[in-house]
């Protein structure tokens, strides 16, 4: 059975009512935003109700909205003119910002967790989004008890973004070392990292030390002459 996007949109509104913080359609896909307190109730209903039957969690990821919508954010240095490293919501024709948090610089939500759901029965997809209330210690309930596959997805989001998942059975780092400092997918994580590690043959163990390389920033792509194409007008590569 296949239900239409319009039918799904209306059914979500009818089923969840005030629990729907936002429900928008973009690029042919619906995004349902709820608050953390309603996440488990909404997730269970999305999985178990016949009108939805989102039995599969395809993906779960964290999002850091720091500097969201700012087309030029501060760095150590780059160029005199600088260059666009983000998106200006006033001019962007590609992104849709109607489901985004408030403009950067305020005290609005910084971190979010996004769940991509699939209903094979109804041939529908849904994006479920939850914004964390606390920017310093972001946390949301774990859905590992609803979709078992969320276990390692939540561990990855915890490792890379520092988002805590309350009720997770074994919330440990997944991709970085147990002694890793910080969360590397946060927008304010330095490119050089906080510490560096090496194996010390005398101590016969891995040790952590202060970073020894110079801080760096992303720089604009420049065109350099390539001698492989020299000769015909000395064109640029």
């Amino acid at each position: 059975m296949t239900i239409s996007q319009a039918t799904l949109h209306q059914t979500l509104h009818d089923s969840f009512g005030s629990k729907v913080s936002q429900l928008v359609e973009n690029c042919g896909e619906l995004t349902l935003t709820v608050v953390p307190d309603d996440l488990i109730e909404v997730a269970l209903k999305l999985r178990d109700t016949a009108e939805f039957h989102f039995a599969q969690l395809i993906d779960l990821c964290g999002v850091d909205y720091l500097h969201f919508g700012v087309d030029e954010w501060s760095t150590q240095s780059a160029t005199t003119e600088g260059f666009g490293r983000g998106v200006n919501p006033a001019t962007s024709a590609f992104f849709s910002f109607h489901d985004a948090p408030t403009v950067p610089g305020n005290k609005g939500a910084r971190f979010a967790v996004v769940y991509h759901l699939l209903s094979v029965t109804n041939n529908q997809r849904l994006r479920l989004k939850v914004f964390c209330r606390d920017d310093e210690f972001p946390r949301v309930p774990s859905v590992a008890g609803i979709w078992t596959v969320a276990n390692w997805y939540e561990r990855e989001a915890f490792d890379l973004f520092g988002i805590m998942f309350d009720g997770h059975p074994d919330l440990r780092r997944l991709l970085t070392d147990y002694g890793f400092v910080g969360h590397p997918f946060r927008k304010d994580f330095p490119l050089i990292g906080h510490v560096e590690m090496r194996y010390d043959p005398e101590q016969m163990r891995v040790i952590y030390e202060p970073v020894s390389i110079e801080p760096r920033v992303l720089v604009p792509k420049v065109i350099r002459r390539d001698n492989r194409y020299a000769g015909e007008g000395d064109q640029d590569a």
Side-chain angles (χ1 to χ4, degrees):
M1 181 179 74
T2 300
I3 63 173
S4 69
Q5 195 85 310
T7 301
L8 176 60
H9 191 286
Q10 187 61 50
T11 307
L12 288 168
H13 260 303
D14 296 342
S15 299
F16 298 119
S18 61
K19 290 181 172 58
V20 177
S21 297
Q22 286 180 321
L23 180 57
V24 297
E25 182 176 354
N26 187 30
C27 298
E29 203 165 294
L30 289 171
T31 299
L32 170 66
T33 304
V34 299
V35 298
D37 292 343
D38 295 330
L39 174 62
I40 298 302
E41 180 183 348
V42 170
L44 281 169
K45 200 165 184 177
L46 288 174
R47 185 194 67 178
D48 298 336
T49 305
E51 290 85 355
F52 303 126
H53 209 272
F54 288 102
Q56 295 188 34
L57 173 66
I58 300 299
D59 191 20
L60 180 159
C61 61
V63 182
D64 183 357
Y65 282 95
L66 182 69
H67 302 309
F68 180 78
V70 177
D71 67 346
E72 191 70 28
W73 62 74
S74 59
T75 60
Q76 301 282 343
S77 64
T79 64
T80 304
E81 297 294 328
F83 61 103
R85 291 177 286 269
V87 179
N88 187 335
T91 59
S92 172
F94 182 79
F95 291 99
S96 175
F97 292 92
H98 44 272
D99 62 340
T102 319
V103 185
N106 70 350
K107 300 299 181 181
R110 169 179 171 181
F111 295 99
V113 181
V114 180
Y115 310 79
H116 296 275
L117 307 178
L118 172 65
S119 171
V120 175
T121 303
N122 296 325
N123 191 26
Q124 277 289 358
R125 295 177 183 270
L126 178 69
R127 182 182 299 108
L128 178 64
K129 184 185 292 187
V130 179
F131 284 101
C132 306
R133 289 198 178 95
D134 192 333
D135 289 353
E136 187 173 0
F137 301 105
R139 60 194 319 123
V140 297
S142 171
V143 297
I146 301 174
W147 296 287
T148 306
V149 70
N151 190 313
W152 278 26
Y153 286 147
E154 291 179 345
R155 285 182 59 188
E156 180 183 49
F158 161 69
D159 191 358
L160 300 179
F161 291 94
I163 298 173
M164 301 293 295
F165 292 88
D166 296 331
H168 189 284
D170 186 21
L171 194 61
R172 294 175 290 132
R173 288 188 180 271
L174 181 65
L175 300 176
T176 61
D177 183 69
Y178 295 125
F180 191 87
V181 178
H183 303 282
F185 274 20
R186 289 191 174 191
K187 295 292 181 63
D188 52 3
F189 187 83
L191 294 176
I192 60 173
H194 293 295
V195 295
E196 63 184 31
M197 56 183 288
R198 66 177 178 86
Y199 179 75
D200 190 312
E202 295 182 358
Q203 301 183 49
M204 300 181 65
R205 65 180 181 89
V206 173
I207 62 172
Y208 288 84
E209 297 175 325
V211 178
S212 60
I213 61 177
E214 290 294 326
R216 62 184 178 88
V217 297
L218 298 176
V219 296
K221 182 178 180 180
V222 296
I223 298 177
R224 296 184 175 87
R225 299 191 181 281
D226 192 328
N227 56 15
R228 292 177 299 174
Y229 303 99
E232 297 184 7
D234 195 24
Q235 67 234 51
D236 294 331

